[in-house]
Amino acid sequence: MSQHSPGERVEQALVAEGLPTPDVVIEPDADQLARSVASALVARLAAAQAVHGTASVVLTGGGIGTAVLQRVADLAAEPEHAVVDWTAVDVWWGDERFVPADSADRNELGAREAFLGRVGLDPERIHPMPSSDAGFDEPEEAAAWYAEQLAASAGDGQPLPRIDVLMLGMGPEGHVASIFPESPAASDERPVVAVRDCPKPPPTRVSLGFAAITAAEEVWLLVSGEGKADAVAQALSGADRLQLPAAGARGRRATRWLLDTAAASKLPRD
């Protein structure tokens, strides 16, 4: 009987499902990782515009996600990197804290300071998730509204628009967006879900679900730090998404794990 490593088993499972094998890119440190991802994102959005005329991206929060957005804005200000028409880029969010609009906990606030306020985006193409003071009493109402916005952008009766790049961070226990291990959101098949009793504050959130995440053309997981190394290794060894949601984050055409050396430290060495 032949035996296969965990990495080989997950590769075989992906092939059987018609999904591409994840790419793993390792940079020396978090700063270089942010620079590398920013350059790759600019190139990917430019390529999408060359084909479709427009491009779309889903943003993530967290330290590395915000650092990437700062680097992208820096690149946008340099003439030699002015390859993206930012007025033709749709911006969505992977998750958001259901708190007032001016709360420092909002991913949107960090994105506006680092990126949205520094490049020439069309305000009509910026699609933030609702805040708790935006007229929605419950996060379920906000999630339903955001799902409607996605469907309206898609047109033709489709539930989701084309998403060229969907960026995700990952927590040390393997959560992505606001989908935590063993939580109802981990098995929810709706494109947008409300999250209550989140183990990480603030406890109430709105998140893209796996139906939306796995519909993206490319999913990029941005992970930095030794504290996340175990979860990275487990996710790339075929873990179940209910126990480790990051393992279920896969793009239609590509899945990229973008790591610094510390986050990659528990991966098997060739």
Side-chain angles (χ1 to χ4, degrees):
M1 180 182 294
S2 62
Q3 295 184 344
H4 300 279
S5 69
E8 289 172 327
R9 287 198 295 272
V10 70
E11 180 173 348
Q12 290 174 349
L14 290 170
V15 171
E17 296 175 25
L19 295 170
T21 303
D23 296 321
V24 178
V25 177
I26 303 172
E27 298 291 350
D29 53 43
D31 182 67
Q32 186 56 44
L33 177 61
R35 293 174 182 274
S36 174
V37 174
S39 295
L41 182 61
V42 168
R44 182 65 185 86
L45 296 179
Q49 289 184 340
V51 175
H52 304 287
T54 63
S56 54
V57 61
V58 172
L59 304 184
T60 184
I64 191 67
T66 301
V68 167
L69 295 183
Q70 291 173 333
R71 298 299 185 191
V72 170
D74 291 343
L75 290 175
E78 299 175 3
E80 64 269 30
H81 295 290
V83 294
V84 175
D85 177 2
W86 293 104
T87 66
V89 175
D90 280 286
V91 175
W92 304 87
W93 271 261
D95 73 324
E96 188 56 276
R97 289 75 181 270
F98 195 62
V99 293
D102 61 355
S103 170
D105 286 327
R106 293 271 297 176
N107 288 329
E108 177 194 356
L109 191 63
R112 288 192 180 278
E113 293 175 352
F115 171 61
L116 303 180
R118 298 176 58 200
V119 299
L121 291 159
D122 179 352
E124 295 297 316
R125 289 182 176 270
I126 301 173
H127 310 281
M129 289 180 166
S131 59
S132 62
D133 55 358
F136 299 95
D137 294 329
E138 305 292 343
E140 289 80 7
E141 297 174 6
W145 179 87
Y146 206 65
E148 291 172 357
Q149 300 307 300
L150 287 163
S153 182
D156 298 326
Q158 298 299 311
L160 296 163
R162 187 192 79 254
I163 299 294
D164 296 301
V165 177
L166 186 148
M167 296 191 294
L168 295 168
M170 187 193 73
E173 75 300 282
H175 87 265
V176 289
S178 285
I179 305 175
F180 283 78
E182 305 287 354
S183 69
S187 56
D188 199 312
E189 297 302 328
R190 290 174 294 180
V192 189
V193 298
V195 177
R196 293 180 178 271
D197 302 318
C198 180
K200 180 181 178 181
T204 308
R205 306 180 179 202
V206 176
S207 178
L208 295 188
F210 278 116
I213 291 171
T214 58
E217 295 294 297
E218 298 188 13
V219 170
W220 294 7
L221 293 109
L222 286 52
V223 190
S224 172
E226 187 176 1
K228 301 178 182 181
D230 284 329
V232 168
Q234 292 171 33
L236 286 168
S237 295
D240 183 84
R241 86 177 196 190
L242 295 179
Q243 280 73 49
L244 204 146
R250 303 169 185 162
R252 292 178 63 249
R253 299 186 182 277
T255 304
R256 306 184 69 194
W257 283 80
L258 305 167
L259 315 171
D260 66 6
T261 301
S265 61
K266 298 295 181 66
L267 291 177
R269 298 185 182 276
D270 295 333

